[in-house]
Amino acid sequence: MEHEPVRMKLIRHTPEQQRQAEQRRLDPFLRALRAIHTAATPETMDPDDLDKQRKGQELLGRLTAPMAGMSWEPFLLDGLNAAWVRPQRGYDRRRCILYCHGGGYTSGTLGYSRILASKLAHVTGWPVLVFEYRLAPEFPYPAAVEDAMKAWDYLMYQGYGARDVVAAGDSAGGNLALVLTHLLKAAGRRLPRTLVLFSPWTDMTASGKSYQERADIDPVLTLNYIYAVRDAYARGQNWSDYRLSPLFGELNGFPPTLIQAGTNELLLSDSVRLRDRLVQAGVPCKLEVWTDLWHVFQMFPMKKANEAMESVGRFLLETL
């Protein structure tokens, strides 16, 4: 007895239905990210706020599944928790990326670092070194900077030359990558080959226009958070010092730089002004501002985040 073939009915979703489905998928990630970047009290880092931030980062790391095809190799780097992220099917051993995680200098783990580190390894085919620098308020400035220099020196001891290393970072990690470059320059040492910065925090004085103009549309950051983590990290310091606000340092001689930011973020001015100052200093710089997106959107599981990371891969290929 013959049976008629079963015909599957294709369900076509409208653009609005697709948008709503993506929003539902992203909601847990946004909630976790808001928890990381929320502080109730601007002058001090309340213990409850700090606990919420650190748990939010742990949750975000768990929500994002490890990227297939990547190896994860944790180790102790002179007392710091660190890890290599490497593509499993061969990789370019001549180059690597030093990735500095965000979190306002007050939160951050290897699990959180793994998200963007895996994406960077995927689009470049290079190993990525991540590390847990000491966090404020328990370890304020300059602890994180000292730890970043320790990670840099480790790569040099491993046989990498400065020209073989890309320094990358998101948010406060972007700040740290820039400060590291400033300090290497001040010491007369060779600088990273390239900088890749995701929504970098470059101005602790919070003097850019976007701190006010984007306050109502940023779905992640608040001014209270900025003030609270700034105070926890560098209370009593001169926030215009280039070791805290790398935007204000001498940028001549810096390596080619890619900056990515979203239109809807509080820190947009930090990226725009950094681009302007790099260009004025004669440094090749590319700024990509992604429409309707937020702070460090690249870590989210969505099409535009993938496109942004592919752009990073193209930039590095063209630059190197």
Side-chain angles (χ1 to χ4, degrees):
M1 182 176 180
E2 294 185 3
H3 297 277
E4 290 189 11
V6 177
R7 290 180 173 83
M8 301 295 291
K9 184 178 180 181
L10 294 177
I11 301 175
R12 298 186 183 279
H13 296 288
T14 66
E16 177 59 23
Q17 289 173 324
Q18 293 173 352
R19 188 196 66 77
Q20 291 176 354
E22 182 177 74
Q23 187 62 48
R24 287 194 296 271
R25 191 176 72 252
L26 296 179
D27 275 347
F29 294 87
L30 273 170
R31 286 196 296 270
L33 208 57
R34 287 191 195 101
I36 297 167
H37 296 104
T38 298
T41 52
E43 288 81 19
T44 60
M45 179 57 65
D46 184 272
D48 290 339
D49 292 331
L50 188 61
D51 184 61
K52 183 188 297 184
Q53 286 178 33
R54 293 176 177 175
K55 286 181 177 177
Q57 275 202 331
E58 291 175 10
L59 174 60
L60 190 60
R62 291 197 300 269
L63 284 171
T64 303
M67 183 168 285
M70 294 292 145
S71 69
W72 176 254
E73 304 166 19
F75 68 101
L76 272 182
L77 193 168
D78 195 13
L80 301 177
N81 290 324
W84 281 104
V85 182
R86 307 183 199 264
Q88 289 177 337
R89 293 189 176 182
Y91 54 89
D92 187 344
R93 299 175 183 271
R94 299 168 300 172
R95 297 190 175 100
C96 71
I97 299 172
L98 175 63
Y99 170 65
C100 306
H101 69 75
Y105 283 116
T106 58
S107 60
T109 63
L110 290 185
Y112 177 78
S113 301
R114 188 173 184 172
I115 303 169
L116 282 178
S118 296
K119 292 189 175 190
L120 285 167
H122 176 71
V123 298
T124 62
W126 303 340
V128 180
L129 176 66
V130 299
F131 62 103
E132 287 184 4
Y133 51 81
R134 288 169 293 169
L135 299 175
E138 298 93 334
F139 299 96
Y141 171 82
V145 177
E146 294 168 349
D147 293 345
M149 188 63 76
K150 184 183 295 186
W152 177 265
D153 289 340
Y154 167 81
L155 290 177
M156 300 302 103
Y157 296 144
Q158 294 301 304
Y160 290 102
R163 63 179 289 107
D164 305 319
V165 182
V166 173
D170 72 279
S171 193
N175 179 293
L176 187 56
L178 286 163
V179 171
L180 172 65
T181 305
H182 271 304
L183 294 181
L184 290 170
K185 178 185 169 186
R189 299 179 61 179
R190 294 187 180 274
L191 307 185
R193 180 67 175 270
T194 312
L195 292 171
V196 175
L197 309 172
F198 305 106
S199 300
W201 186 22
T202 69
D203 175 17
M204 286 197 183
T205 71
S207 58
K209 292 181 180 179
S210 63
Y211 282 86
Q212 303 299 327
E213 293 176 350
R214 298 296 195 274
D216 292 334
I217 62 172
D218 189 318
V220 175
L221 293 177
T222 67
L223 276 170
N224 275 2
Y225 170 78
I226 297 296
Y227 296 151
V229 295
R230 179 184 68 178
D231 193 57
Y233 178 61
R235 182 181 303 178
Q237 301 287 336
N238 176 9
W239 289 320
S240 63
D241 188 299
Y242 73 92
R243 289 162 292 189
L244 297 172
S245 296
L247 174 68
F248 303 128
E250 293 294 332
L251 298 170
N252 57 298
F254 261 50
T257 300
L258 173 65
I259 308 168
Q260 292 183 341
T263 57
N264 294 8
E265 66 170 296
L266 205 69
L267 297 187
L268 179 58
S269 293
D270 285 33
S271 291
V272 173
R273 295 166 75 199
L274 177 63
R275 185 273 314 275
D276 292 345
R277 294 210 64 240
L278 284 168
V279 171
Q280 290 169 6
V283 177
C285 179
K286 181 179 182 181
L287 170 63
E288 297 178 351
V289 181
W290 292 72
T291 303
D292 295 331
L293 291 180
W294 51 85
H295 191 64
V296 198
F297 67 90
Q298 296 87 344
M299 66 174 50
F300 283 67
M302 61 184 186
K303 183 179 178 180
K304 286 188 176 181
N306 295 337
E307 292 173 354
M309 295 307 300
E310 289 168 2
S311 182
V312 171
R314 288 192 299 270
F315 172 81
L316 292 176
L317 182 63
E318 294 166 1
T319 303
L320 303 181

